[in-house]
Every structure is written in structure tokens, then in C-alpha cells.
Amino acid sequence: MGRNHHMYDKLTEITSEKNVMVEEHLRNHTYTRLGGKADFLVTPETYEEVQAIVKLAKQEKIAFTLLGNGSNLIVKDGGIRGIVMNLKKLHSIWREDDKIIAQSGARIIDASQHALKESLHGLEFACGIPGSVGGALYMNAGAYGGEIKDVLESTKVITREGELLLLPAADLDLHYRTSNIPEKGYIVLEATFSLRKGNAEEIKAVMDDLTFKRESKQPLEYPSCGSVFKRPPGYFAGKLIQDSDLQGKQIGGAQVSTKHAGFIVNKDNATATEYIELIRFVQSTVKEKFGVNLEREVRIIGEDPIE
Ligand SMILES: Cc1cc2nc3c(=O)[nH]c(=O)nc-3n(C[C@H](O)[C@H](O)[C@H](O)COP(=O)(O)OP(=O)(O)OC[C@H]3O[C@@H](n4cnc5c(N)ncnc54)[C@H](O)[C@@H]3O)c2cc1C
């Protein structure tokens, strides 16, 4: 407890008390509504505070985890030790020339809406992706033929040493649902999207169409992490799962969605353990039936519960 008091004091020297939560349930901060507690959940309000927290974690050799909007993560039932940092209070979005600049805690949906408001074309694909700007860069998020790689010009990041860098998009090595952000340990602070002048009505029509497609196909009425698996080369994950007769398969409160086989929903107060068990069951069944490895798109983090 002594060390935790010490950390609390150090964190509240950096940012105000309201930005430091102790023993916070992470199910309140993830789309799946799963997961144990974080020792500390910190929500800094300035880049200087982010920098100071990163440096503190390094000095004190305390574990440090970044949480975006929690829409592509499963936090295990044992929670996360050390500091979990969420940048949701850094959420400004503005226009400069034909660019949209967004802080990493802004929702990518809001960046897409801002581009519409400014009649700028290029971010329509992101209008229904429920992640933060930082999480979208990390994953090179994409939908309906568009992806972050197509529009990202540059990004401002902090390294795990606390150094501030301005990087061109090419330095992030963006590919299908990956980047080098995990390997480099970058903390994204800001993204500049290079867009083209367009017609607001046409941009809105595209966004409305994508929203209709999403709402009619995805089980948005239940908590989930979106598509659990990446698209395996030459196949569709959802179709393989459907053809394995897995739709509706349930372990505890977790269920393979009956609406979209690529989703696993938290139907009835599932635990993370049940959810993860169901993911593994789907992977092994599809492998057995079709010889295809389903690679997870969703990240699993945190610790197993103590028995
Ligand atoms: C209903 C639903 C639909 C979805 N549809 C799509 C879709 O169409 N296309 C798609 O690509 N994805 C989709 N997703 C998945 C998800 O929204 C994206 O992957 C999104 O980019 C994740 O962002 P996040 O902020 O929620 O990240 P989180 O889930 O919080 O975190 C994911 C990873 O990003 C890292 N991260 C977060 N913020 C930062 C930062 N500032 N700097 C560095 N690393 C950071 C975290 O450490 C973590 O490792 C969907 C999810 C749901 C629930």
C-alpha cells in the first residue's frame, strides 16, 4: 500500500486529483464491458502532463499501459497493474488549410464529422469506427475500402523516454490493421489528416450510406469489440465462422453474434475469461474444419484473476 500511496502522490503532483482514479473498474472504459481494475487510471489534460507521467513510469519502473476508447481491447478479469493512461481529455479537432488536425483522445468519428462540417473529403470511411484517433493510428483502422494510411500526413508522438517527435506517416509503417506503434512504444498525441475539398452533401450521402450498412449488419445493441479476427488472406472470417455452425455458440455470457458471425457479443454479463475462451474455441473449430488460422484483430491485455 505504501508504494501505491507514493505513486498517488507523485501522480497528483503532475495532474489534478480529479484526473487520477484508484482501483478503477476497466469495464467502465471498454466497449466489451469486461475487465478487472486498474491500479491507477490517469487522464492527463496537457501534453506536458503526458510527458511527465511517461517519465515517472520509467523512473519508478512501474508498468504503463495506454487505453484509447477501449473498442479494440479485452482487459482480462485480473485487471492491469501500474498506471493506465487514457488521453480522452485531449480531444480538440481543428482545420488548417485542407487538413484536419485531431488530438489523439478525440473520437475518429468526431474527426470524420468535423471534416464533413468543413466540406473536406477523405475521412468518410471512419464515420462509424468507435475508436480514438490514437487507437485508429495504432491499428491503421479502416472500413469500406478506406483506411488511416490513405489520409494520414503526419503525427506528433511521445517516446517511452518522454521525447516529443513529429513523424511523417510513412514512419509508422502502416499496413492492414497494423503499425509499428506497439514496437516503437510511441504514444500518439496528435494526427494531421490531409484531405481534399469536397461537397458537403455528397460527403454526407456517403457517410449516411456507410452508417446504414453498419447498423443493418452489426450487432450494435450488445457490447462487443467489433470484428474479433483479421480477414484471413483469401477468406472472410465471418463466413468461415458461419460455415462452422458457430453462430449463437455461447460460453457463459459471451456469444458468437447471430447477426454478424465475425462479432462476439457480451450478451449476458460475461467475464473476460468466458469471452477469451469463446475466441479460442472459434479459432480451433475453424482451424479444424477449414485449416485456416484466424488471427485476432482485438488485443487482449491485463492479468488473469487470482484463483
Ligand atoms: C462496434 C465496433 C465496430 C468497429 N468497427 C471497426 C471498423 O470498421 N474498422 C476498424 O478498423 N476497427 C473497428 N473497430 C475496432 C476499433 O474501433 C478500432 O480498432 C479502433 O481503432 C480502436 O481504437 P481505440 O481508441 O478504441 O483503441 P483501444 O481499443 O483503446 O486500444 C487499442 C490499442 O491502441 C493503443 N492506443 C490507444 N490510444 C493510443 C495512443 N494515443 N497512442 C498509442 N497507442 C494507443 C492501445 O494501447 C491499444 O494497444 C470496431 C469496434 C467496435 C466495438
Side-chain angles (χ1 to χ4, degrees):
M1 203 58 211
R3 182 160 160 81
N4 275 1
H5 275 306
H6 167 74
M7 277 315 300
Y8 182 80
D9 291 344
K10 290 273 180 192
L11 286 166
T12 50
E13 274 167 29
I14 295 172
T15 185
S16 93
E17 277 184 24
K18 70 177 190 321
N19 298 334
V20 182
M21 285 179 269
V22 181
E23 300 265 316
E24 173 65 10
H25 277 289
L26 289 170
R27 62 167 181 259
N28 298 332
H29 303 271
T30 56
Y31 263 73
T32 48
R33 300 274 168 255
L34 300 171
K37 293 176 185 170
D39 290 347
F40 298 99
L41 178 65
V42 195
T43 53
E45 292 183 64
T46 65
Y47 294 166
E48 291 71 28
E49 289 180 4
V50 176
Q51 226 166 351
I53 293 164
V54 172
K55 285 184 180 165
L56 173 71
K58 193 173 162 68
Q59 265 163 20
E60 300 277 334
K61 297 189 172 56
I62 184 165
F64 172 84
T65 307
L66 254 178
L67 177 70
N69 237 1
S71 64
N72 202 40
L73 280 180
I74 296 167
V75 176
K76 291 187 182 176
D77 294 318
I80 304 182
R81 302 290 71 77
I83 299 172
V84 176
M85 184 163 73
N86 178 288
L87 302 181
K88 67 180 179 189
K89 290 182 181 159
L90 290 160
H91 57 70
S92 299
I93 304 172
W94 65 97
R95 176 186 185 162
E96 274 176 26
D97 303 321
D98 289 345
K99 303 175 207 299
I100 290 289
I101 304 174
Q103 290 188 311
S104 62
R107 298 186 322 151
I108 191 76
I109 290 177
D110 292 337
S112 175
Q113 287 292 342
H114 199 98
L116 164 64
K117 204 177 80 197
E118 298 286 352
S119 299
L120 290 172
H121 158 71
L123 267 176
E124 294 90 326
F125 75 88
C127 69
I129 301 178
S132 65
V133 166
L137 265 58
Y138 181 102
M139 291 294 298
N140 185 25
Y144 301 111
E147 56 180 357
I148 291 294
K149 187 175 193 266
D150 302 335
V151 283
L152 185 71
E153 181 179 282
S154 62
T155 178
K156 209 177 261 181
V157 303
I158 286 183
T159 65
R160 292 293 164 120
E161 279 65 47
E163 192 191 357
L164 191 70
L165 302 176
L166 181 65
L167 303 173
D171 282 13
L172 292 187
D173 206 11
L174 299 169
H175 291 286
Y176 175 64
R177 301 298 169 266
T178 64
S179 71
N180 64 10
I181 295 175
E183 175 197 326
K184 301 273 186 188
Y186 294 145
I187 294 146
V188 176
L189 292 181
E190 223 174 85
T192 298
F193 300 108
S194 179
L195 306 176
R196 292 179 302 285
K197 282 191 187 67
N199 171 297
E201 267 173 38
E202 284 170 19
I203 295 169
K204 184 165 184 310
V206 171
M207 286 165 67
D208 286 348
D209 179 47
L210 296 185
T211 304
F212 174 76
K213 284 190 180 131
R214 195 176 278 274
E215 286 176 354
S216 52
K217 291 203 180 115
Q218 298 185 355
L220 302 178
E221 60 279 23
Y222 292 113
S224 81
C225 54
S227 299
V228 178
F229 305 104
K230 294 188 183 187
R231 187 169 5 91
Y235 298 91
F236 287 100
K239 175 92 172 70
L240 291 169
I241 296 167
Q242 210 172 358
D243 293 347
S244 304
D245 288 327
L246 285 168
Q247 271 190 294
K249 166 76 187 168
Q250 200 159 335
I251 295 184
Q255 186 195 55
V256 178
S257 166
T258 50
K259 190 167 174 187
H260 185 314
F263 279 51
I264 291 180
V265 294
N266 179 357
K267 186 143 186 261
D268 186 15
N269 293 313
T271 62
T273 309
E274 291 162 356
Y275 205 94
I276 294 165
E277 209 181 310
L278 186 53
I279 292 176
R280 296 205 175 117
F281 184 80
V282 169
Q283 284 174 316
S284 64
T285 308
V286 168
K287 172 80 182 164
E288 212 172 278
K289 287 218 168 183
F290 297 103
V292 179
N293 288 316
L294 287 181
E295 193 191 334
R296 259 192 295 110
E297 178 172 315
V298 63
R299 291 198 62 216
I300 298 176
I301 60 173
E303 299 188 4
D304 287 317
I306 298 163
E307 296 291 323

